[in-house]
């Protein structure tokens, strides 16, 4: 009976994810058209924030309980998945043309803030601190660094600056768009669009929860270890909103929303989620997370090279990106 319930919840979860993403993308696209805002801006803000809400809520609860040691590994793991699986899967479905402004600004910015995060950790590298006490690093894997409250405040200030810049860019582009002649076509209902966005986010959130919880239960029932489940199903599950939303956007031809969702989510994860978490309670960093951060920086530069060469990500590059994630997962499991 329990097995049947898990299967039913898994199916319901996937239906909610797909339909929720469908409504979310339609609503976001309508908002972009009504307010004459480029889709890439909507992707970097509304869509990115909406798909990052599950990670934010989980991190806030963990931080308030003083148990946010896995925050960095979750953020880095999610960003790796977003970067090479979400974009890779979208490119396999249909080659993705990347907005020039993203290549020049937001994409490099996401790499820079990851490097800044690594430098913050290096600045608080515990084994090099004279009063470092090994007992504070007890556990399955010892902490080697900390993102303290000052670091969290800096990350949040950078996040606010990024949001102000993005909003100002949107307002300037909206002003330019208003000067263009109106296009004939059916009027868009902004209230219905907002309802689609809110309902889509709710469906994505609960659908993701159903999929992760039921998949975990099924995996353990069939003999997978909890560690392996954590590295695979849970890691993928926390990024399901980004994956499904971007794939649906790509299928609808809204590639700017797909790109903006991935880049925006990665920026939100580093600046907002780690910023808020470490401001509430300093975040411990384990050695494997540092290694994963270096891998993330390398992969980000690689994808940026892909994009700069042709101003798009084609199917061959998408396959390479997904293959790299499989190799990364094998490394994460055996290390």
């Amino acid at each position: 009976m329990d097995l049947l319930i898990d299967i039913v919840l898994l199916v319901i979860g996937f239906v909610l994810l797909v339909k929720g993403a469908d409504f979310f993308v339609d609503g976001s696209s309508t908002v972009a058209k009504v307010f004459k805002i480029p889709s890439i801006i909507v992707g970097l803000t509304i869509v990115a924030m909406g798909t990052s809400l599950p990670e934010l809520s989980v991190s806030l609860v963990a931080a308030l309980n003083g148990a946010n040691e896995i925050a960095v590994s979750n953020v880095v793991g999610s960003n790796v998945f977003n970067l090479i699986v979400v974009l890779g899967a979208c490119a396999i479905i249909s080659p993705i043309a990347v907005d020039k402004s993203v290549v020049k600004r937001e994409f490099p910015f996401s790499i820079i803030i990851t490097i800044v995060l690594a430098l913050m950790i290096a600045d608080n590298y515990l084994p090099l601190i004279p009063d470092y006490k090994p007992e504070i690093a007890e556990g399955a894997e010892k902490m080697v660094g900390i993102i303290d409250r000052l670091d969290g405040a800096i990350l949040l200030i950078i996040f606010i600056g990024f949001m102000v810049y993005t909003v100002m860019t949107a307002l300037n582009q909206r002003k330019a768009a208003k000067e263009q002649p109106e296009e004939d076509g059916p009027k868009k209902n902004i209230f219905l669009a907002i309802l689609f966005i809110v309902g889509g986010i709710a469906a994505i959130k609960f659908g993701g929860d159903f999929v992760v919880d039921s998949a975990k239960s099924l995996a353990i029932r069939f003999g997978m270890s909890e560690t392996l489940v954590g590295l695979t199903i849970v890691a993928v599950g926390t990024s399901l909103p980004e994956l499904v939303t971007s794939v649906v956007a790509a299928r609808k031809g809204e590639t700017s929303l797909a790109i903006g969702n991935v880049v925006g989510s990665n920026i939100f994860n580093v600046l907002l989620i780690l910023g808020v978490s470490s401001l509430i309670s300093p975040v411990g960093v384990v050695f494997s997370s540092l290694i994963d951060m270096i891998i993330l920086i390398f992969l980000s530069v690689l994808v940026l090279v892909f994009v700069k060469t042709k101003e798009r990500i084609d199917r061959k590059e998408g396959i390479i990106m997904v293959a790299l994630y499989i190799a990364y997962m094998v490394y994460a499991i055996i290390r």
Side-chain angles (χ1 to χ4, degrees):
M1 187 64 180
D2 289 340
L3 177 63
L4 180 61
I5 291 174
D6 286 333
I7 293 173
V8 170
L9 288 177
L10 186 66
V11 172
I12 292 173
F14 274 117
V15 170
L16 285 173
L17 270 172
V18 173
K19 295 309 295 180
D22 199 19
F23 287 132
F24 189 34
V25 169
D26 284 346
S28 300
S29 177
T30 299
V31 167
K33 290 181 175 68
V34 169
F35 290 104
K36 299 183 181 299
I37 300 171
S39 293
I40 187 66
I41 299 293
V42 176
L44 285 166
T45 52
I46 297 173
V47 179
M49 185 172 288
T51 55
S52 291
L53 281 177
E55 289 100 324
L56 179 60
S57 62
V58 169
S59 296
L60 280 176
V61 171
L64 290 170
N65 292 331
N68 56 353
E69 292 83 3
I70 62 171
V72 174
S73 59
N74 283 347
V75 163
V76 173
S78 178
N79 282 12
V80 170
F81 185 89
N82 290 345
L83 181 71
I84 58 177
V85 176
V86 176
L87 282 184
C90 290
I92 291 171
I93 292 170
S94 177
I96 303 174
V98 182
D99 193 286
K100 288 183 179 180
S101 64
V102 175
V103 178
K104 290 181 180 178
R105 295 192 294 265
E106 285 82 11
F107 207 122
F109 179 68
S110 69
I111 299 174
I112 291 169
I113 60 173
T114 306
I115 295 172
V116 167
L117 180 63
L119 291 175
M120 286 177 171
I121 296 168
D123 184 55
N124 292 321
Y125 191 64
L126 296 180
L128 299 181
I129 298 175
D131 59 351
Y132 168 66
K133 300 182 185 302
E135 59 265 26
I136 70 171
E138 290 296 325
E141 189 174 357
K142 291 185 177 181
M143 288 191 299
V144 296
I146 288 178
I147 304 172
D148 59 26
R149 287 188 172 89
L150 176 60
D151 295 331
I154 293 171
L155 291 174
L156 283 177
I157 289 171
I158 297 173
F159 174 73
I160 292 170
F162 168 74
M163 289 303 298
V164 169
Y165 166 79
T166 303
V167 170
M168 293 300 295
T169 300
L171 291 175
N172 290 335
Q173 294 185 351
R174 181 187 178 191
K175 183 178 179 182
K178 280 186 173 181
E179 296 174 358
Q180 301 296 323
E182 291 284 342
E183 294 182 8
D184 293 330
K187 295 294 182 182
K188 303 291 184 179
N189 189 326
I190 186 61
F191 297 107
L192 184 61
I194 293 172
L195 183 62
F196 271 31
I197 290 173
V198 174
I201 290 175
I204 289 169
K205 195 274 179 192
F206 288 110
D209 288 345
F210 286 160
V211 169
V212 173
D213 292 343
S214 55
K216 280 170 60 179
S217 178
L218 286 169
I220 293 172
R221 192 184 302 278
F222 286 105
M224 285 179 67
S225 69
E226 290 192 14
T227 300
L228 186 57
V229 170
L231 284 170
T232 53
I233 294 171
V234 176
V236 172
T238 56
S239 293
L240 273 178
E242 287 87 348
L243 175 61
V244 177
T245 302
S246 290
V247 168
V248 169
R251 288 180 64 87
K252 288 175 175 285
E254 296 283 356
T255 55
S256 291
L257 280 178
I259 290 286
N261 178 30
V262 169
V263 176
S265 291
N266 282 11
I267 292 172
F268 277 37
N269 286 347
V270 172
L271 297 180
L272 182 61
I273 293 179
L274 285 183
V276 171
S277 296
S278 55
L279 197 61
I280 295 172
S281 176
V283 177
V285 183
V286 297
F287 183 73
S288 61
S289 292
L290 283 177
I291 300 298
D292 291 339
M293 208 172 297
I294 294 170
I295 292 173
L296 173 59
I297 293 169
F298 167 76
L299 291 173
S300 299
V301 173
L302 178 65
V303 174
L304 185 59
V305 170
F306 283 168
V307 172
K308 275 185 169 291
T309 52
K310 303 175 185 176
E311 293 186 355
R312 67 173 188 166
I313 304 173
D314 59 27
R315 285 190 175 91
K316 182 177 71 175
E317 291 165 340
I319 292 170
I320 291 172
M321 289 160 66
V322 173
L324 284 173
Y325 185 77
I326 294 171
Y328 168 72
M329 287 305 300
V330 170
Y331 160 73
I333 290 169
I334 65 177
R335 69 183 173 191

CSV table of all heavy atoms in Angstrom, one decimal, residues 35-38 40-42 44-45 99 101-102 105-106 161-177:
chain,number,residue,atom,x,y,z
A,35,PHE,N,4.3,44.9,-19.7
A,35,PHE,CA,5.1,46.0,-19.2
A,35,PHE,C,6.2,46.4,-20.1
A,35,PHE,O,7.1,47.2,-19.8
A,35,PHE,CB,5.6,45.7,-17.8
A,35,PHE,CG,4.5,45.6,-16.8
A,35,PHE,CD1,4.0,44.4,-16.3
A,35,PHE,CD2,4.0,46.8,-16.3
A,35,PHE,CE1,3.0,44.4,-15.3
A,35,PHE,CE2,3.0,46.8,-15.3
A,35,PHE,CZ,2.5,45.6,-14.8
A,36,LYS,N,6.3,45.7,-21.3
A,36,LYS,CA,7.3,46.0,-22.3
A,36,LYS,C,8.7,45.8,-21.7
A,36,LYS,O,9.6,46.7,-21.9
A,36,LYS,CB,7.2,47.4,-22.9
A,36,LYS,CG,5.8,47.6,-23.6
A,36,LYS,CD,5.7,49.0,-24.2
A,36,LYS,CE,4.4,49.2,-24.9
A,36,LYS,NZ,4.2,48.2,-26.0
A,37,ILE,N,8.9,44.8,-21.0
A,37,ILE,CA,10.2,44.4,-20.4
A,37,ILE,C,10.8,43.2,-21.1
A,37,ILE,O,10.1,42.3,-21.4
A,37,ILE,CB,10.0,44.1,-18.9
A,37,ILE,CG1,9.4,45.3,-18.1
A,37,ILE,CG2,11.4,43.7,-18.3
A,37,ILE,CD1,9.1,44.9,-16.7
A,38,PRO,N,12.1,43.3,-21.5
A,38,PRO,CA,12.7,42.1,-22.2
A,38,PRO,C,12.5,40.8,-21.4
A,38,PRO,O,12.6,40.9,-20.1
A,38,PRO,CB,14.1,42.5,-22.3
A,38,PRO,CG,14.1,44.0,-22.3
A,38,PRO,CD,13.0,44.4,-21.3
A,40,ILE,N,14.5,38.5,-21.0
A,40,ILE,CA,15.7,38.1,-20.2
A,40,ILE,C,15.7,38.7,-18.8
A,40,ILE,O,16.1,38.1,-17.8
A,40,ILE,CB,17.0,38.5,-21.0
A,40,ILE,CG1,18.2,38.0,-20.3
A,40,ILE,CG2,17.1,40.0,-21.1
A,40,ILE,CD1,18.3,36.5,-20.3
A,41,ILE,N,15.1,40.0,-18.7
A,41,ILE,CA,15.0,40.6,-17.4
A,41,ILE,C,14.0,39.9,-16.5
A,41,ILE,O,14.3,39.7,-15.3
A,41,ILE,CB,14.6,42.1,-17.6
A,41,ILE,CG1,15.7,42.9,-18.4
A,41,ILE,CG2,14.4,42.8,-16.2
A,41,ILE,CD1,17.0,43.0,-17.8
A,42,VAL,N,12.9,39.5,-17.1
A,42,VAL,CA,11.9,38.8,-16.3
A,42,VAL,C,12.5,37.4,-15.8
A,42,VAL,O,12.3,37.0,-14.7
A,42,VAL,CB,10.6,38.5,-17.2
A,42,VAL,CG1,9.6,37.6,-16.4
A,42,VAL,CG2,10.0,39.8,-17.5
A,44,LEU,N,15.7,36.8,-15.3
A,44,LEU,CA,16.7,37.1,-14.2
A,44,LEU,C,16.1,37.4,-12.9
A,44,LEU,O,16.8,37.4,-11.8
A,44,LEU,CB,17.6,38.2,-14.7
A,44,LEU,CG,18.6,37.9,-15.8
A,44,LEU,CD1,19.2,39.2,-16.3
A,44,LEU,CD2,19.8,37.0,-15.2
A,45,THR,N,14.8,37.9,-12.9
A,45,THR,CA,14.2,38.3,-11.6
A,45,THR,C,13.0,37.5,-11.2
A,45,THR,O,13.2,36.6,-10.3
A,45,THR,CB,13.7,39.8,-11.8
A,45,THR,OG1,12.9,39.9,-13.0
A,45,THR,CG2,14.9,40.7,-11.9
A,99,ASP,N,21.4,35.9,-25.1
A,99,ASP,CA,21.3,37.4,-25.2
A,99,ASP,C,22.7,37.9,-25.0
A,99,ASP,O,23.4,37.5,-24.1
A,99,ASP,CB,20.4,37.9,-24.2
A,99,ASP,CG,20.0,39.4,-24.4
A,99,ASP,OD1,20.9,40.2,-24.1
A,99,ASP,OD2,18.9,39.7,-24.9
A,101,SER,N,23.7,40.7,-23.9
A,101,SER,CA,23.9,41.4,-22.6
A,101,SER,C,24.2,40.5,-21.5
A,101,SER,O,25.0,40.8,-20.6
A,101,SER,CB,22.6,42.2,-22.2
A,101,SER,OG,21.5,41.3,-22.0
A,102,VAL,N,23.6,39.2,-21.5
A,102,VAL,CA,23.9,38.2,-20.5
A,102,VAL,C,25.4,37.8,-20.6
A,102,VAL,O,26.0,37.6,-19.6
A,102,VAL,CB,22.9,37.0,-20.7
A,102,VAL,CG1,23.3,35.9,-19.7
A,102,VAL,CG2,21.5,37.5,-20.4
A,105,ARG,N,27.5,40.7,-19.2
A,105,ARG,CA,27.3,41.2,-17.9
A,105,ARG,C,26.9,40.1,-16.9
A,105,ARG,O,27.8,39.7,-16.0
A,105,ARG,CB,26.2,42.3,-17.8
A,105,ARG,CG,26.6,43.5,-18.6
A,105,ARG,CD,25.7,44.7,-18.3
A,105,ARG,NE,24.3,44.4,-18.7
A,105,ARG,CZ,23.9,44.8,-19.9
A,105,ARG,NH1,24.6,45.5,-20.7
A,105,ARG,NH2,22.6,44.6,-20.3
A,106,GLU,N,25.7,39.5,-16.9
A,106,GLU,CA,25.2,38.7,-15.9
A,106,GLU,C,26.0,37.3,-15.8
A,106,GLU,O,26.3,36.9,-14.7
A,106,GLU,CB,23.7,38.4,-16.1
A,106,GLU,CG,22.8,39.5,-15.7
A,106,GLU,CD,22.7,40.5,-16.8
A,106,GLU,OE1,23.1,40.2,-18.0
A,106,GLU,OE2,22.1,41.6,-16.6
A,161,GLY,N,22.6,45.5,-4.8
A,161,GLY,CA,23.1,46.3,-5.9
A,161,GLY,C,22.8,45.7,-7.3
A,161,GLY,O,22.4,46.4,-8.2
A,162,PHE,N,22.8,44.3,-7.3
A,162,PHE,CA,22.5,43.6,-8.6
A,162,PHE,C,21.0,43.8,-8.9
A,162,PHE,O,20.7,44.1,-10.1
A,162,PHE,CB,22.8,42.1,-8.4
A,162,PHE,CG,22.2,41.3,-9.5
A,162,PHE,CD1,22.7,41.2,-10.7
A,162,PHE,CD2,21.0,40.5,-9.2
A,162,PHE,CE1,22.2,40.4,-11.7
A,162,PHE,CE2,20.5,39.7,-10.2
A,162,PHE,CZ,21.1,39.7,-11.5
A,163,MET,N,20.1,43.8,-7.9
A,163,MET,CA,18.7,44.0,-8.1
A,163,MET,C,18.4,45.4,-8.6
A,163,MET,O,17.6,45.6,-9.5
A,163,MET,CB,17.9,43.6,-6.9
A,163,MET,CG,17.9,42.1,-6.6
A,163,MET,SD,17.2,41.1,-7.9
A,163,MET,CE,15.5,41.7,-8.0
A,164,VAL,N,19.0,46.4,-7.9
A,164,VAL,CA,18.8,47.8,-8.3
A,164,VAL,C,19.2,48.0,-9.8
A,164,VAL,O,18.5,48.6,-10.6
A,164,VAL,CB,19.6,48.7,-7.4
A,164,VAL,CG1,19.6,50.1,-7.9
A,164,VAL,CG2,19.0,48.7,-6.0
A,165,TYR,N,20.4,47.4,-10.1
A,165,TYR,CA,20.9,47.6,-11.5
A,165,TYR,C,20.0,46.9,-12.5
A,165,TYR,O,19.7,47.5,-13.5
A,165,TYR,CB,22.3,46.9,-11.6
A,165,TYR,CG,22.8,46.7,-13.0
A,165,TYR,CD1,23.3,47.8,-13.8
A,165,TYR,CD2,22.7,45.4,-13.6
A,165,TYR,CE1,23.7,47.6,-15.1
A,165,TYR,CE2,23.1,45.2,-14.9
A,165,TYR,CZ,23.6,46.3,-15.6
A,165,TYR,OH,24.0,46.1,-16.9
A,166,THR,N,19.5,45.7,-12.1
A,166,THR,CA,18.6,45.0,-13.0
A,166,THR,C,17.3,45.7,-13.2
A,166,THR,O,16.7,45.8,-14.4
A,166,THR,CB,18.3,43.6,-12.5
A,166,THR,OG1,19.5,42.9,-12.3
A,166,THR,CG2,17.4,42.8,-13.5
A,167,VAL,N,16.7,46.3,-12.1
A,167,VAL,CA,15.5,47.0,-12.2
A,167,VAL,C,15.7,48.3,-13.0
A,167,VAL,O,14.8,48.6,-13.9
A,167,VAL,CB,14.9,47.4,-10.8
A,167,VAL,CG1,13.8,48.4,-10.9
A,167,VAL,CG2,14.5,46.1,-10.1
A,168,MET,N,16.8,49.0,-12.8
A,168,MET,CA,17.1,50.2,-13.6
A,168,MET,C,17.2,49.9,-15.1
A,168,MET,O,16.7,50.6,-15.9
A,168,MET,CB,18.3,50.9,-13.1
A,168,MET,CG,18.2,51.5,-11.7
A,168,MET,SD,17.0,52.7,-11.5
A,168,MET,CE,17.6,54.0,-12.6
A,169,THR,N,17.9,48.8,-15.4
A,169,THR,CA,18.0,48.3,-16.8
A,169,THR,C,16.6,48.1,-17.4
A,169,THR,O,16.3,48.5,-18.5
A,169,THR,CB,18.9,47.1,-16.9
A,169,THR,OG1,20.2,47.3,-16.3
A,169,THR,CG2,19.0,46.6,-18.3
A,170,ALA,N,15.8,47.4,-16.6
A,170,ALA,CA,14.4,47.1,-17.1
A,170,ALA,C,13.6,48.4,-17.4
A,170,ALA,O,12.9,48.5,-18.4
A,170,ALA,CB,13.7,46.2,-16.1
A,171,LEU,N,13.7,49.4,-16.5
A,171,LEU,CA,13.0,50.6,-16.6
A,171,LEU,C,13.5,51.4,-17.9
A,171,LEU,O,12.7,51.9,-18.6
A,171,LEU,CB,13.1,51.5,-15.4
A,171,LEU,CG,12.4,51.0,-14.1
A,171,LEU,CD1,12.8,51.9,-12.9
A,171,LEU,CD2,10.9,50.9,-14.3
A,172,ASN,N,14.8,51.4,-18.1
A,172,ASN,CA,15.3,52.1,-19.3
A,172,ASN,C,14.9,51.4,-20.6
A,172,ASN,O,14.5,52.1,-21.5
A,172,ASN,CB,16.9,52.1,-19.2
A,172,ASN,CG,17.4,53.0,-18.1
A,172,ASN,OD1,16.7,53.9,-17.7
A,172,ASN,ND2,18.6,52.7,-17.6
A,173,GLN,N,14.9,50.0,-20.6
A,173,GLN,CA,14.5,49.3,-21.8
A,173,GLN,C,13.0,49.4,-22.0
A,173,GLN,O,12.5,49.4,-23.1
A,173,GLN,CB,14.9,47.9,-21.7
A,173,GLN,CG,16.4,47.7,-21.7
A,173,GLN,CD,16.9,46.3,-21.7
A,173,GLN,OE1,16.1,45.4,-21.5
A,173,GLN,NE2,18.2,46.1,-21.9
A,174,ARG,N,12.2,49.5,-20.9
A,174,ARG,CA,10.8,49.7,-21.0
A,174,ARG,C,10.5,51.1,-21.6
A,174,ARG,O,9.6,51.2,-22.5
A,174,ARG,CB,10.1,49.6,-19.6
A,174,ARG,CG,8.6,49.7,-19.7
A,174,ARG,CD,8.1,49.8,-18.3
A,174,ARG,NE,6.6,50.0,-18.3
A,174,ARG,CZ,5.9,50.3,-17.2
A,174,ARG,NH1,6.5,50.4,-16.1
A,174,ARG,NH2,4.6,50.4,-17.3
A,175,LYS,N,11.3,52.1,-21.2
A,175,LYS,CA,11.1,53.5,-21.7
A,175,LYS,C,11.4,53.5,-23.2
A,175,LYS,O,10.6,54.1,-24.0
A,175,LYS,CB,12.0,54.4,-21.0
A,175,LYS,CG,11.8,55.9,-21.4
A,175,LYS,CD,12.8,56.8,-20.6
A,175,LYS,CE,12.6,58.2,-21.1
A,175,LYS,NZ,13.6,59.1,-20.3
A,176,ALA,N,12.4,52.8,-23.6
A,176,ALA,CA,12.8,52.7,-25.0
A,176,ALA,C,11.7,52.0,-25.8
A,176,ALA,O,11.3,52.4,-26.9
A,176,ALA,CB,14.1,52.0,-25.2
A,177,ALA,N,11.1,50.9,-25.2
A,177,ALA,CA,10.1,50.1,-25.9
A,177,ALA,C,8.8,50.9,-26.1
A,177,ALA,O,8.1,50.8,-27.1
A,177,ALA,CB,9.8,48.9,-25.1
